[in-house]
Amino acid sequence: MAGVDVLLVSLGTTAGLRAADADLASALQRAGASVAIEDVPRVRRLRTFALTDLAQAHASRRAAERGIGLRRPRALVYSTTTAALRWPRPGAIRFDATAAGNRPGRHGAWQRPVERRRLAAAPLLLPWSAGALREAGLGEEEEEGEEERAIVVPVAAEASGPRAARRDVAALTYAAHPQKKGLDRVLAAWAAAHREGETLVVAGAPAEARVAQPGVEFTGLLAYDEYRALLRRTRIFVTAPRREDYGISQLEALADGCRLVTTPAPGPYAALPIARALDARLVAVDLAPAIRAGLDAPADGYSERAASALAPFAQRAIDAVVAEAVVPRLLGGRSGSAAAVT
C-alpha cells in the first residue's frame, strides 16, 4: 500500500473528539497532505481513571503500530495526550487538555510524568486553545523558540444558519454529562432567577437527570441540526461546568447569537475569556443575577462583537493555519500530495 503524508491516531473516546479528528484530517487534506485516520478500538471503562487511561494508551499504541505498518506515514499525529503515552514512534500531539489538568492526585499518578516526557519529546504540539498550551506548562513564559514547536489549531465554531427573526426560547443549557456540566447548579440558579413565562430548555440530559421543575423543559438528546436550530432561537446559553477542557457548546452558542452566561470554570475553556470581554456581568459564580442581566439588560452590540471574537474559530481561518504552519512543520516544508481521507 502506498504511503501517506500523515497518519492521525484517533483515540476518539467521545463524539466530539471523533468529529474534531475528522475535521483536522479534512483541513490537512485541503492543504494538500494525504491523510489516513487510524481509529483506536473502544476500551471499556475500568475501575479507575488510571487503569482506563492505561488500557487506552495500550490500545492507541497497537493502533499506531498497525497504521504505521500499513500506511508508512511521513508524519504522525496523536489525538489526545493519552493516545501518545505509549507511542511506538514520536509524533505531533493534538490535545484539548492535559492529564496534568484533568487527572489530579491519584487519578493521574502515572499519566502526568509520562505526559511531561511525551510533550517534551514531541516534534510538534497542536493544542486546541492557548489555554490548553498554558495548562501543559508551555506558552509565553517558555524559552525563546519554544512557541515555534506549538501551533494552536482550534476546533471550528461557526454560525449554523440564518438566525431566527424572533428568539422565543429564553434560555438553553446542554447537559449530556450533567455532573461535569453542572446541571444541578444551572437548575438551582434558574429556580431563583426565572420569571413566569420563561423557560430553560435542557438538551442532552440522560433520563435519570431529568427532574421536573417549574420553568424547565427537557428535550433529551437532539439531532445536531435540530440542536443548532434551537440555539438560533435562544436568548441566553447557561452553563456551570465544574471544569471545561474546551467548551465547543459555548462557542457554538456564541456563533449562533446567544449570550453566554457561565461560571468561571477552571480548565483551558476557550470561550471564557471571550465571554468576559463581551459582558463580564454574565460570568459569575452566582448565576442567578447573571441570568437576569443576560435576559433583561443585554450589553450593546453583543452578538456583533461575539462574531468578531470568533473569527479565529472560523473554518477558513483554521484552514489557513493548517496550510501555512502545520503542514510545513509536519512534512519538513514539503507540500503533500492530495489524497482521500480514509
Side-chain angles (χ1 to χ4, degrees):
M1 183 177 292
V4 298
D5 292 322
V6 181
L7 177 70
L8 175 58
V9 181
S10 173
L11 182 57
T13 51
T14 67
L17 283 173
R18 293 190 293 274
D21 289 346
D23 287 348
L24 176 61
S26 295
L28 289 166
Q29 183 189 27
R30 287 191 292 272
S34 59
V35 183
I37 297 178
E38 190 67 41
D39 292 314
V40 178
R42 298 296 294 274
V43 173
R44 65 182 178 87
R45 181 68 61 86
L46 300 176
R47 184 167 50 86
T48 66
F49 284 124
L51 287 173
T52 301
D53 290 347
L54 181 61
Q56 290 175 346
H58 281 302
S60 298
R61 180 183 179 91
R62 291 192 295 269
E65 289 172 335
R66 181 173 59 251
I68 290 168
L70 289 173
R71 307 290 186 177
R72 295 184 288 109
R74 292 165 58 188
L76 283 162
V77 176
Y78 297 94
S79 179
T80 77
T81 59
T82 302
L85 291 177
R86 295 205 68 250
W87 64 19
R89 175 176 133 190
I93 303 177
R94 171 86 163 139
F95 60 99
D96 60 341
T98 62
N102 61 27
R103 293 289 188 267
R106 62 183 177 80
H107 297 296
W110 75 269
Q111 302 98 307
R112 293 191 300 270
V114 178
E115 178 183 76
R116 285 195 297 272
R117 295 197 294 270
R118 294 294 178 265
L119 291 172
L124 182 64
L125 301 177
L126 300 173
W128 290 23
S129 65
L133 189 61
R134 287 192 296 272
E135 190 173 72
L138 306 171
E140 294 178 357
E141 72 281 2
E142 283 297 300
E143 61 187 52
E144 185 177 355
E146 178 62 38
E147 69 278 2
E148 297 176 3
R149 198 171 61 90
I151 302 169
V152 174
V153 183
V155 173
E158 297 183 301
S160 61
R163 295 176 184 177
R166 177 172 173 267
R167 291 188 174 262
D168 58 322
V169 177
L172 174 68
T173 192
Y174 180 73
H177 301 283
Q179 175 69 13
K180 182 178 179 181
K181 295 300 183 183
L183 177 59
D184 56 333
R185 301 195 288 192
V186 171
L187 293 177
W190 186 252
H194 91 284
R195 295 173 182 163
E196 186 174 353
E198 294 175 337
T199 299
L200 167 70
V201 177
V202 180
E208 61 272 17
R210 301 174 201 170
V211 180
Q213 179 176 316
V216 177
E217 175 186 332
F218 292 88
T219 68
L221 194 61
L222 299 173
Y224 183 68
D225 289 346
E226 187 178 359
Y227 170 74
R228 295 301 299 269
L230 187 59
L231 278 177
R232 298 197 299 271
R233 296 168 45 206
T234 298
R235 293 162 65 190
I236 64 171
F237 184 89
V238 188
T239 186
R242 287 176 165 82
R243 172 186 160 84
E244 193 60 85
D245 291 341
Y246 185 64
I248 188 63
S249 60
Q250 292 92 314
L251 293 169
E252 289 175 340
L254 288 169
D256 277 331
C258 301
R259 294 182 286 279
L260 176 57
V261 176
T262 182
T263 51
Y269 201 174
L272 184 59
I274 297 174
R276 281 194 171 117
L278 291 171
D279 190 344
R281 300 173 304 159
L282 308 190
V283 180
V285 174
D286 184 357
L287 282 179
I291 287 171
R292 291 275 30 117
L295 289 172
D296 298 338
D300 292 339
Y302 188 101
S303 61
E304 292 78 10
R305 290 185 290 115
S308 178
L310 290 176
F313 299 88
Q315 190 62 63
R316 182 176 180 180
I318 295 168
D319 282 352
V321 171
V322 170
E324 296 167 12
V326 175
V327 168
R329 287 298 311 275
L330 281 174
L331 304 181
R334 294 169 290 175
S335 61
S337 56
V341 174
T342 59

